[in-house]
Amino acid sequence: MNGEVDRRGLLKLAGGSLAALGLTAAGCGGGSGSGDGTVTIRYAWWGSDDRAKRINRTIELFEKKYPKIKVKTDFQPYLDFWKKFNTQASGGNPPDVFQNAIGFLRKYDQRGVLLDLNAQAEAGNLRMDGFRAGLEKFGEVDGKLLGVPVGSNSMALVIDKPVYEKAGVTPKTGWTWDDFHEAMEKIRKQGRAGDSGLYGVMYLYDPYLRQQGKAFFTKDGLGFDEADLKEWWTKGYAGVKSGIYADPKKVAQIKPKSAVAAEIAASEFTWDNFTVRYTAEGKSEYGLAPIPTTDGKKTGQYLGSLMLSGSKRTQHPKEVAQFIDFMVHDPEVAKIMGYDRGVPTTTAQYEAYKPAEEKDKVIASVNKEIAAYEEQLVEAGVLETITPHPAGADVCEAAFLRIAEELALGERSVDEAVKQFFTECKTALGS
């Protein structure tokens, strides 16, 4: 949606040891069957050790309910996951079911990798009712059901509360980008950069464009032009030079720790469900603030989501559908996963998990704030529909983050950065 925060730093943070958890790496070939009718499906995802532990507990529950379905697991850090998945997909050997994101739906659908789950929904193996805020539509592309969301999130501004309070800054719904800039100046006078550097966060630039009737992506390509990006990056670079945004060299030095937790910056834009990261890394108290607006009304936000997709080559589409159904509807799964992958997308799971019941009171407090933030977005009616990204969007996102960082470090001028991004992105999108 993720780079959000500092994506590469977050991806390092999300890495984990497969062997340490005793997980079974996915083998070659599709899902298998046995003489007694038992079938095996392969399930792959990206994330941290903690996510892996939680997911494996949910798999134990699934296998108890469906004793004839066994699940082989494989998890990797984000970048490693997609490298491995791309190799498997190219070789005709993707996992039967896997974690997915909107930036990859069209890409792998065009390659004939993704299973259209509509037939399984019609057969009753996958329930597509009971979802919150229209999220059941999130994985639909051109009439095909290519993914089922497991957790929702939206962009937010994570703030160091004591620093904001000391600077006399109180972000409120409807505050403008001018208000935000003024807040950054006030915080800088307190001896800390206001923000870690928003210029490379694609999933923030997208709402900013939407506030002006545009978007980062259309279904066919980019939804903005070079003049739009020049304005964004000119402001971003000026913020770095003035000190209201953190020194990118310092931000790089403390990776994978976040600039906010390292007390280099007082805030940064990221997905709301990442808030727990700051609590785990830092010593301060952190909270969620609304996205600034252009006109005081339109935020350009939408609910994003991780999702589960199936392989078109799976030998067991029914079992894949039953697995996905269990993971998005079973209340006990929600109690185990919490908000690790975002706020549960189905009403049954949303109501089953109570943040206050977390043993860790700090995490309980953070999760309660995440839920309240999303509830406020839904009630305010500001949420829009995200357009499924075109094939090659993942390459554009990586280029956006990398080139923005080069710009901030002074390795490229604004004009050079803009030209380089559009050159790389047009190649990736085939336009």
Side-chain angles (χ1 to χ4, degrees):
M1 193 154 258
N2 245 174
E4 53 271 29
V5 185
D6 159 21
R7 183 159 190 159
R8 281 176 283 193
L10 180 60
L11 300 181
K12 292 179 182 178
L13 184 73
S17 169
L18 186 64
L21 291 174
L23 301 180
T24 304
C28 297
S32 59
S34 64
D36 66 355
T38 299
V39 302
T40 299
I41 59 175
R42 294 160 48 209
Y43 174 35
W45 69 90
W46 68 83
S48 64
D49 283 354
D50 180 64
R51 176 176 293 177
K53 291 175 182 177
R54 290 173 185 265
I55 287 179
N56 274 276
R57 287 171 60 195
T58 68
I59 289 173
E60 289 177 6
L61 292 180
F62 174 78
E63 290 182 336
K64 286 180 180 179
K65 183 174 181 178
Y66 294 93
K68 293 294 185 180
I69 306 176
K70 302 301 178 185
V71 183
K72 281 188 175 182
T73 60
D74 185 13
F75 93 101
Q76 309 282 340
Y78 181 88
L79 291 180
D80 292 337
F81 172 90
W82 286 112
K83 287 179 181 178
K84 183 172 184 177
F85 182 86
N86 194 49
T87 299
Q88 292 173 325
S90 297
N93 184 40
D96 297 275
V97 60
F98 51 93
Q99 188 169 286
N100 204 353
I102 195 162
F104 300 92
L105 291 183
R106 287 189 186 276
K107 175 178 182 176
Y108 286 107
D109 180 42
Q110 289 182 10
R111 295 186 183 183
V113 175
L114 302 182
L115 175 67
D116 182 354
L117 290 161
N118 274 320
Q120 294 303 319
E122 292 169 2
N125 298 320
L126 173 62
R127 291 167 289 171
M128 292 306 297
D129 56 357
F131 283 81
R132 300 170 36 245
L135 283 163
E136 69 277 4
K137 301 290 186 181
F138 193 78
E140 291 186 2
V141 175
D142 300 331
K144 291 179 282 188
L145 180 58
L146 303 179
V148 181
V150 294
S152 67
N153 52 19
S154 191
M155 286 301 296
L157 180 66
V158 174
I159 67 172
D160 186 319
K161 288 183 177 180
V163 176
Y164 264 65
E165 290 171 2
K166 185 178 179 181
V169 177
T170 305
K172 296 180 180 179
T173 300
W175 70 326
T176 66
W177 287 102
D178 287 340
D179 295 331
F180 173 76
H181 183 82
E182 183 179 338
M184 298 298 97
E185 292 283 5
K186 289 181 178 179
I187 293 169
R188 181 176 62 85
K189 292 177 181 178
Q190 300 293 326
R192 190 181 300 188
D195 189 86
S196 64
L198 54 81
Y199 38 80
V201 187
M202 188 193 87
Y203 285 102
L204 173 66
Y205 187 44
D206 187 23
Y208 177 79
L209 288 168
R210 286 168 175 264
Q211 291 175 12
Q212 302 166 66
K214 300 183 179 183
F216 198 101
F217 290 117
T218 66
K219 67 177 183 178
D220 301 315
L222 296 176
F224 63 102
D225 58 29
E226 293 188 15
D228 295 318
L229 184 55
K230 182 175 181 178
E231 176 204 26
W232 178 256
W233 274 349
T234 296
K235 291 180 178 178
Y237 186 65
V240 172
K241 300 304 289 183
S242 70
I244 63 171
Y245 300 151
D247 181 343
K249 293 180 180 178
K250 292 182 178 179
V251 174
Q253 288 171 355
I254 52 91
K255 292 178 183 178
K257 194 171 186 177
S258 71
V260 173
E263 300 183 356
I264 294 174
S267 56
E268 63 187 2
F269 291 93
T270 184
W271 298 108
D272 55 21
N273 65 305
F274 287 173
T275 313
V276 69
R277 172 193 182 187
Y278 304 90
T279 301
E281 286 184 352
K283 300 177 181 178
S284 190
E285 181 183 359
Y286 308 99
L288 292 171
I291 299 292
T293 67
T294 299
D295 62 2
K297 298 178 181 179
K298 184 180 176 67
T299 69
Q301 286 174 272
Y302 44 78
L303 289 182
S305 179
L306 290 178
M307 63 188 80
L308 295 179
S309 294
S311 165
K312 197 172 185 178
R313 297 180 67 93
T314 183
Q315 298 173 27
H316 308 292
K318 176 182 177 180
E319 289 78 8
V320 164
Q322 290 173 323
F323 179 80
I324 295 175
D325 181 272
F326 182 84
M327 290 300 170
V328 299
H329 288 285
D330 189 271
E332 294 304 312
V333 169
K335 294 177 182 179
I336 292 171
M337 294 305 302
Y339 290 169
D340 177 83
R341 295 178 298 191
V343 178
T345 54
T346 57
T347 300
Q349 289 196 341
Y350 180 76
E351 294 177 348
Y353 172 69
K354 307 296 183 184
E357 295 176 359
E358 285 278 2
K359 293 181 180 179
D360 188 319
K361 298 305 178 185
V362 175
I363 292 178
S365 178
V366 170
N367 283 349
K368 184 178 180 180
E369 187 167 357
I370 293 169
Y373 179 77
E374 291 200 11
E375 286 175 359
Q376 185 272 325
L377 292 177
V378 173
E379 291 172 1
V382 300
L383 293 173
E384 301 180 5
T385 301
I386 186 173
T387 302
H389 296 174
D394 54 320
V395 178
C396 293
E397 180 183 356
F400 190 80
L401 172 61
R402 171 176 49 80
I403 295 169
E405 185 174 23
E406 292 170 353
L407 167 66
L409 289 168
E411 296 173 3
R412 293 182 185 273
S413 68
V414 172
D415 287 341
E416 289 171 342
V418 171
K419 182 178 180 180
Q420 184 64 29
F421 171 77
F422 273 83
T423 297
E424 291 188 27
C425 203
K426 285 180 180 178
T427 300
L429 298 174
S431 59

